[in-house]
Amino acid sequence: MTPLSDHSTIAQRLPDGLGPLARLARNLAWTCDEQIAAVLGEVDPEGLIAASGNPVAMLAAVPRDRLDALAGDAGFRERLARAEARLEGRLDAPSWYATLPEAPAAIAYFSPEFGLSEALPQYSGGLGILAGDHLKAASDLGVPIVGIGLFYRNGYFRQVLTAGGAQQEQFVELDPALLPMTPARGADGAPLVISLPLPGATLHAALWRVEVGRVQLLLLDTDVAANGPAERAVTDRLYGGDSEHRLRQEILLGVGGVKALAACGIEPAVFHMNEGHAGFLALERVRRLVEDGVEPEHALQLVRARTVFTTHTPVPAGIDRFSHELMARYFGQGGVPTGLPLERLLALGAEVDGDPAVFNMAALGIRTAARVNGVSRLHGAVARAMFAPLFPGVAEDDVPITHVTNGVHAETWVGPEFSALYRARLGDGYGTRSEGWEHLASISDEELFEARADARLRLVDEVRRRLERQASERGDDQAESAWLTGLLDPQALTLGFARRVPTYKRLTLLLHERERLTRILTSAERPVQLLVAGKAHPRDSEGKRLIEEFGAFAAGHDVRHRVIMLADYDMALANMLVSGVDVWLNTPLRPLEACGTSGMKAALNGVLNLSILDGWWDECYGPAFGWAIPSAEEPGLDPAIRDAREAASILDLIEHELAPRFYERDGGLPHAWLAMIRRTLCELAPQLLATRMLRDYVQQLYLPAAAAAEAVAVGR
């Protein structure tokens, strides 16, 4: 694929009549609009697959004769015009947010990663996917959110699995000209660049603008000519490098992000930190107020009033910490100015009853935000206990940390089978509907069964294609790989398990009873198949060991047609899995799952959940929607015994409840199973929407923050 120096090159190579393709490709509305995506996909289906679903890269490479043929196709031009009108309709649609009195005109949402599409690989897992769904819901509801993040030239990493199941990492350099984003420009038309001081250097960053429906995301990129080699590398990889490298990235995200907003002429009324990585944004805002003559402590109060902090971390080990020595080097004399004495800054990140020599980014976020929330009801309670030391003299139940349970963007994650059912009864834009889901009760058993069967067949076909491609890339012997064409059964009960692979998610839990698991999987009467995917951080040796252990089991000749380990877990693979399996399995060590939104995505596709009562499932579980795995949580219980008990419970449920109910047929239909799906759609699905989540943020956090900030400002 030929690199391009400017996005305008793509528009220039399009024949007359096809110009709207460039605009459609650059606005990520196509990630959640089937009709727009279908028109883009019609241009060059194979080319779009080769470009990892990225229509900008596809348009850069599509042969000229194909473009000329499309330009001469009146039917295609008509479909293109309808797609362009559809985008315009999304941008100009009536806004729920516009009906709210005294709503803030701009809200800044800072996150270290954003998962909007596999075509823009700037995410590693749930934190980024949640951020992407947050922006898409903002577009749907007309909430004026501006996302702030970093552009990582190597993204996260591509995962390759050896034949034995071991993880290997590949890093691919991204060409911004071939991605759905454009340079952010000033009033004079020149590309915007912001600068900030570091010890012994100045860090410069270009700004990229990503259109997400009617909201925007700004990404800061340090790979610019004005920087030296060390500074150019600041935004090389997501979650890469040592502690100092991470500190530089987080300074750029927080301090540089505030500067980016100012450069774009955006003055947010509310600042939202999606985890502690963005905590330094408070310091730049304090600095600006102090330079305007505000006393530092009052400046902190003004900043705090306008700030919302969301924690996703139920374990202290998941929080970024930096040494005081490193902090002094970067924020002391000659470093990043903050408007605060170094001692005051260090106090903002101080741990209580912790290491006195470290700076805690979650503590900084909590101390500089007037409103703090966890991401599920249970996680809110866990967070209050975890951060209670920051509130001396306050009873744990009274610690001022609330919760907003996560949601998922329906039109992004619902597959074509259930999307058709939703549109037929709820209309277009069903993901914004807060009412009317009871109409789904009219879906017949025959319709539900057909939709689930079609989704499962689509999944099986895609898994076979992916595994054949994986085998080819590894150079596997063709004769040895011949069995791939017959693996999996499109009629069999199919379970899915896919997520990041830290140890607490317990990828290998089911391997405690391998012989029993094998017997269940290979049953002649009630076969079960299991699809697994997940990445471990490149430096997480234990997570990589778990992947290799499970991969070795999956490669065994007795089960390899029933249990599949899929490589390179990304949004495309996640979408395929959550829409295609019958049951979503989740086995975290309770209560270490803050929310766990993959099961929400599955439920919207008529998939039943089999999960530990943790995260969202703890508050939303009902026997009509799936199964609760009993937790063995006796104090002092040996972890190995706990794992063995919970693994046995899962196998009991699969063998004695799930499989019998799935295969119990009357007239060819599993009526009891389908009844559970119907109740999931009618009763559970509306609770799981990202638009419900964002309405909660607006009404419970953003509007109160804006109102309180005005009150504090009056006292200034």
Side-chain angles (χ1 to χ4, degrees):
M1 195 171 288
T2 304
L4 301 175
S5 59
D6 193 277
H7 284 76
S8 62
T9 311
I10 294 174
Q12 290 168 4
R13 74 185 301 264
L14 293 174
D16 290 344
L18 299 189
L21 282 173
R23 183 182 180 209
L24 293 178
R26 290 194 195 106
N27 192 309
L28 288 168
W30 55 261
T31 64
C32 46
D33 189 303
E34 294 177 48
Q35 295 182 43
I36 295 175
V39 169
L40 289 168
E42 194 177 343
V43 173
D44 184 1
E46 294 302 318
L48 190 60
I49 293 173
S52 299
N54 176 2
V56 174
M58 178 266 291
L59 289 175
V62 63
R64 180 70 195 195
D65 58 351
R66 173 60 179 165
L67 292 174
D68 290 338
L70 290 170
D73 184 338
F76 178 78
R77 292 199 312 273
E78 183 179 343
R79 291 189 293 278
L80 177 59
R82 286 200 299 267
E84 185 178 28
R86 190 169 176 84
L87 176 60
E88 288 293 341
R90 295 182 75 96
L91 301 182
D92 298 334
S95 162
W96 167 80
Y97 190 77
T99 67
L100 302 177
E102 300 182 6
I107 299 161
Y109 182 86
F110 285 64
S111 179
E113 51 177 301
F114 285 88
L116 293 158
S117 166
E118 65 277 9
L120 190 63
Q122 302 292 301
Y123 60 91
S124 71
L127 181 71
I129 302 301
L130 183 280
D133 283 6
H134 201 99
L135 294 189
K136 291 177 184 180
S139 175
D140 291 342
L141 298 177
V143 182
I145 288 177
V146 180
I148 305 292
L150 305 181
F151 173 62
Y152 306 96
R153 288 279 172 153
N154 296 122
Y156 196 39
F157 68 89
R158 283 202 64 233
Q159 180 198 52
V160 176
L161 296 178
T162 67
Q167 172 177 299
Q168 296 178 340
E169 298 91 28
Q170 292 181 347
F171 291 91
V172 179
E173 185 165 355
L174 302 171
D175 182 354
L178 296 176
L179 296 173
M181 58 189 198
T182 55
R185 300 182 183 276
D188 60 357
L192 291 173
V193 177
I194 62 98
S195 302
L196 58 95
L198 294 179
T202 298
L203 182 64
H204 307 279
L207 305 184
W208 295 100
R209 183 172 180 264
V210 181
E211 295 179 70
V212 187
R214 52 182 161 185
V215 304
Q216 64 176 316
L217 165 64
L218 298 175
L219 299 176
L220 288 81
D221 177 11
T222 61
D223 190 12
V224 296
N227 283 328
E231 285 67 49
R232 291 186 78 146
V234 166
T235 54
D236 55 357
R237 297 177 183 175
L238 175 60
Y239 301 143
D242 59 12
S243 182
E244 182 171 4
H245 189 71
R246 289 285 292 276
L247 178 62
R248 286 179 156 221
Q249 288 187 336
E250 296 186 11
I251 290 171
L252 178 64
L253 176 61
V255 176
V258 174
K259 288 177 176 286
L261 289 167
C264 293
I266 300 170
E267 298 182 11
V270 176
F271 289 76
H272 185 172
M273 293 185 271
N274 191 38
E275 255 306 341
H277 310 282
F280 293 132
L281 70 84
L283 307 184
E284 171 64 10
R285 292 162 59 208
V286 167
R287 181 194 68 79
R288 289 168 177 262
L289 289 168
V290 170
E291 287 191 355
D292 286 344
V294 180
E295 190 271 330
E297 289 302 318
H298 188 51
L300 273 171
Q301 292 179 19
L302 293 170
V303 165
R304 189 171 180 272
R306 292 187 184 275
T307 305
V308 173
F309 176 77
T310 298
T311 173
H312 298 257
T313 307
V315 289
I319 299 171
D320 279 335
R321 292 172 168 82
F322 300 109
S323 71
H324 279 191
E325 183 275 329
L326 197 59
M327 290 293 295
R329 181 145 51 93
Y330 273 83
F331 291 97
Q333 185 145 8
V336 182
T338 66
L340 298 171
L342 179 61
E343 294 74 16
R344 183 68 179 102
L345 168 59
L346 294 178
L348 290 173
E351 296 185 344
V352 179
D353 301 329
D355 188 339
V358 301
F359 186 91
N360 184 305
M361 292 299 290
L364 172 67
I366 291 171
R367 288 191 175 109
T368 56
R371 285 161 179 80
V372 182
N373 70 283
V375 291
S376 69
R377 183 178 62 192
L378 177 59
H379 180 234
V382 170
R384 285 189 289 276
M386 181 175 169
F387 295 115
L390 299 182
F391 301 90
V394 177
E396 185 177 300
D397 289 345
D398 296 328
V399 168
I401 298 178
T402 184
H403 77 276
V404 173
T405 301
N406 284 343
V408 298
H409 191 258
E411 286 88 345
T412 296
W413 296 106
V414 173
E417 299 82 10
F418 276 76
S419 180
L421 295 178
Y422 287 144
R423 290 200 311 273
R425 288 161 177 83
L426 299 176
D428 222 3
Y430 54 85
T432 65
R433 294 283 299 269
S434 58
E435 299 176 344
W437 290 77
E438 67 277 4
H439 297 313
L440 299 174
S442 66
I443 302 175
S444 68
D445 279 5
E446 289 77 10
E447 288 178 285
L448 285 176
F449 185 77
E450 182 180 3
R452 288 297 326 135
D454 289 348
R456 195 184 314 108
L457 178 59
R458 178 169 56 86
L459 171 66
V460 168
D461 287 344
E462 179 60 24
V463 168
R464 289 172 179 170
R465 282 193 292 270
R466 279 179 174 256
L467 288 178
E468 288 171 0
R469 186 167 66 246
Q470 287 177 206
S472 175
E473 290 175 352
R474 288 195 303 256
D476 291 358
D477 181 83
Q478 288 188 346
E480 171 62 20
S481 301
W483 68 277
L484 294 173
T485 58
L487 65 80
L488 297 181
D489 178 356
Q491 306 300 323
L493 173 60
T494 305
L495 279 62
F497 179 101
R499 52 196 33 89
R500 288 185 307 110
V501 190
T503 54
Y504 78 87
K505 292 183 183 282
R506 299 191 293 182
L507 168 65
T508 58
L509 186 64
L510 290 182
L511 301 187
H512 274 263
E513 297 187 41
R514 298 189 184 209
E515 290 185 6
R516 185 183 179 195
L517 174 60
T518 299
R519 176 171 55 80
I520 292 172
L521 292 168
T522 58
S523 168
E525 295 181 354
R526 295 171 175 170
V528 177
Q529 50 202 18
L530 175 61
L531 299 178
V532 174
K535 291 180 177 179
H537 189 280
R539 292 197 301 273
D540 182 0
S541 57
E542 182 60 17
K544 292 168 77 170
R545 185 193 66 76
L546 295 176
I547 289 175
E548 185 167 8
E549 181 181 352
F550 197 95
F553 170 76
H557 286 265
D558 51 348
V559 298
R560 65 179 183 175
H561 61 301
R562 286 285 181 263
V563 55
I564 307 296
M565 189 85 182
L566 292 159
D568 204 26
Y569 183 45
D570 65 0
M571 287 185 69
L573 178 53
N575 215 316
M576 181 180 73
L577 289 171
V578 298
S579 62
V581 301
D582 298 296
V583 176
W584 196 256
L585 177 64
N586 194 21
T587 59
L589 194 66
R590 189 181 191 270
L592 302 184
E593 183 86 282
C595 186
T597 54
S598 58
M600 293 179 165
K601 302 176 182 83
L604 287 172
N605 284 283
V607 174
L608 305 181
N609 274 268
L610 170 62
S611 177
I612 296 286
L613 286 173
D614 201 3
W616 76 277
W617 192 234
D618 179 73
E619 67 191 84
C620 294
Y621 163 72
F625 313 138
W627 295 267
I629 301 168
S631 296
E633 298 183 55
E634 296 93 329
L637 186 66
D638 184 281
I641 296 175
R642 176 176 182 172
D643 287 352
R645 288 183 184 176
E646 294 182 6
S649 295
I650 296 169
L651 295 178
D652 285 344
L653 287 167
I654 295 172
E655 186 172 17
H656 302 303
E657 295 195 33
L658 276 72
R661 188 169 301 189
F662 181 83
Y663 286 107
E664 183 179 297
R665 307 290 166 98
D666 180 7
L669 297 177
H671 295 287
W673 188 276
L674 297 171
M676 293 177 71
I677 293 177
R678 187 178 293 103
R679 288 195 61 184
T680 294
L681 303 186
C682 293
E683 300 172 32
L684 180 60
Q687 302 177 55
L688 309 181
L689 302 175
T691 49
R692 184 276 310 154
M693 170 190 72
L694 188 56
R695 286 186 178 101
D696 288 348
Y697 271 108
V698 169
Q699 294 168 331
Q700 299 174 26
L701 297 172
Y702 295 162
L703 295 182
E710 290 302 317
V712 173
V714 168
R716 176 179 170 182

